[in-house]
Amino acid sequence: MSVTGWGRTAPTTARLLRPRTHEEATAAVREWGARGGIARGLGRAYGDAAQNAGGAVLDMTGLDRIRTIDAEAGAVVCDAGVSLNRLMEVLLPLGWFVPVTPGTRYVTVGGAIGADIHGKNHHVSGSFARHVRSLELLTADGSVHTVLPGTDLFDATAGGMGLTGVILSAAVRLHRVETSLMSVDTERAVDLDDLMARLTATDHRYRYSVAWIDLLARGRALGRSVLTRGEHAPLAALPRRARRAPLSFRPGQLPPAPGFVPEGLLGRATVGLFNELWYRRAPRSRTGELQKISAFFHPLDGVPHWNRIYGRGGFVQYQFVVGYGQEETLRRIVQRISRRGCPSFLAVLKRFGESDPGWLSFPVPGWTLALDIPAGLTGLGAFLDELDEEVAEAGGRVYLAKDSRLRPELLAKMYPRLPEFRSLRAGLDPGGVFTSDLSRRLTL
């Protein structure tokens, strides 16, 4: 069947297998043939990380058991196919929240570890794998290993894009909360320098922090932004009526995006209008607004199949990070994107904290910018190649879970522990049992 990433840019055909037990997963790996295979969760990797042209793809969503919950210590053991959405449904009523969530809750635990996902709280909590106490990994020889943090195999698996084996289950530490609401502060920043100054001065006060940035703004308004920070609301902050069910989790949902969207709908004019309205409607400063967890963390999840709005050509999600001290590089890239007129209405800037131990984990201390661009934009590939070179020259990197077009010669410069990853993988899987379109493209 045809398989593609969330960006819908490069579908390939693979044999799809859906095990329901660990034993079925083991049997599939032993039998899936010369083209190898790769595990896949809910398909939220934007590029080709969970595709395998001509080979096998292991759909892990059938492995969806929550095995144990320690409601006192705040820990859960679950199969790799359990989604963050399912964990929230089960754990929030018990007063616990997942330690890290990206912009969608429709990510499996296995995918969260394989991509070592990050969220709005990286400056405080790091990436997802930092909260994993142990995991069960099915390797190329058909054996299952209990893998612990601090080991080479753990550090190669966290952010390793599924190339060390199939994650079968994991034990994860949780974050205690009193309610399922967020207390949110919102403010506008007039330009990029204003935004970076506000983030640098006050981010330490918040667990969660993110800025939407208008990448079509120019001149004195370059990088104008809406900055949103939040904390889990304490029980005392809720109005009396909401205290009757303070931990309820009922995400709302709008009708799905249509199956057909005309090409070019999200052009510079329409995105420019959206960005203008979005910036103007944001409050200059507002504190303590109560929002649902789903609204604060996952607003796009309320629109099923929202990726269809880019049309059949799909879109490229581009995310990079450059270190602190490289603010001029960030400013220069934002200027180039603005001058190029890249129509992105889903552009966000965040600050990262300490690096995570995964050899191919994306976050390093610094500034990370993520933006979406219609894939059919004229000259896009050459333009992003130039940005890649500027990011690499500044000691930064791009996010492999979102990549669909990076040139392999830049990878080692961006990820200095790549030789160790390749060496471990060669010893663990000499026959190339685990492979993907991403791994072939980048010679991982």
Side-chain angles (χ1 to χ4, degrees), residues 174 322 369:
L174 306 170
V322 292
L369 176 66

Side-chain angles (χ1 to χ4, degrees), residues 188-375:
R188 293 198 315 219
V190 297
D191 58 27
L192 184 61
D193 289 337
D194 182 29
L195 172 63
M196 289 192 289
R198 290 171 188 251
L199 285 167
T200 300
T202 60
D203 245 14
H204 64 280
R205 303 176 189 170
Y206 297 89
R207 176 171 290 274
Y208 304 100
S209 178
V210 68
W212 169 86
I213 182 168
D214 181 0
L215 291 178
L216 288 177
R218 297 184 179 186
R220 296 175 61 182
L222 180 78
R224 65 178 180 177
S225 310
V226 178
L227 180 55
T228 307
R229 272 86 71 86
E231 300 282 354
H232 293 280
L235 185 62
L238 270 59
R240 183 176 300 176
R241 185 173 181 179
R243 294 182 197 179
R244 299 172 187 169
L247 291 164
S248 63
F249 181 60
R250 300 188 184 93
Q253 195 168 84
L254 297 171
F260 173 76
V261 176
E263 298 297 324
L265 177 64
L266 295 181
R268 294 170 193 166
T270 53
V271 172
L273 177 60
F274 172 88
N275 287 0
E276 180 70 27
L277 294 174
W278 190 261
Y279 180 77
R280 295 298 176 187
R281 71 181 291 273
R284 294 183 182 276
S285 179
R286 180 174 61 200
T287 61
E289 180 190 15
L290 293 178
Q291 294 183 7
K292 290 182 177 181
I293 273 177
S294 55
F296 180 76
F297 288 107
H298 315 119
L300 286 175
D301 282 346
V303 184
H305 308 294
W306 64 263
N307 56 339
R308 294 175 181 170
I309 65 175
Y310 292 87
R312 292 179 179 176
F315 70 103
V316 173
Q317 176 83 188
Y318 185 68
Q319 183 169 5
F320 68 89
V321 58
V322 292
Y324 296 124
Q326 290 291 334
E327 285 77 12
E328 187 55 39
T329 300
L330 175 63
R331 187 179 294 106
R332 190 163 54 247
I333 290 175
V334 170
Q335 286 174 336
R336 293 186 66 177
I337 294 170
S338 173
R339 289 171 184 164
R340 183 67 175 72
C342 293
S344 176
F345 73 95
L346 297 176
V348 296
L349 183 73
K350 298 192 292 282
R351 294 173 78 247
F352 280 157
E354 295 181 7
S355 298
D356 297 287
W359 292 347
L360 298 186
S361 291
F362 169 63
V364 294
W367 304 93
T368 180
L369 176 66
L371 59 147
D372 64 299
I373 314 171

Side-chain angles (χ1 to χ4, degrees), residues 92 95 177-182 232-238 246-248 293:
L92 268 171
V177 296
E178 293 183 16
T179 75
S180 60
L181 295 175
M182 302 296 297
H232 293 280
L235 185 62
L238 270 59
L247 291 164
S248 63
I293 273 177

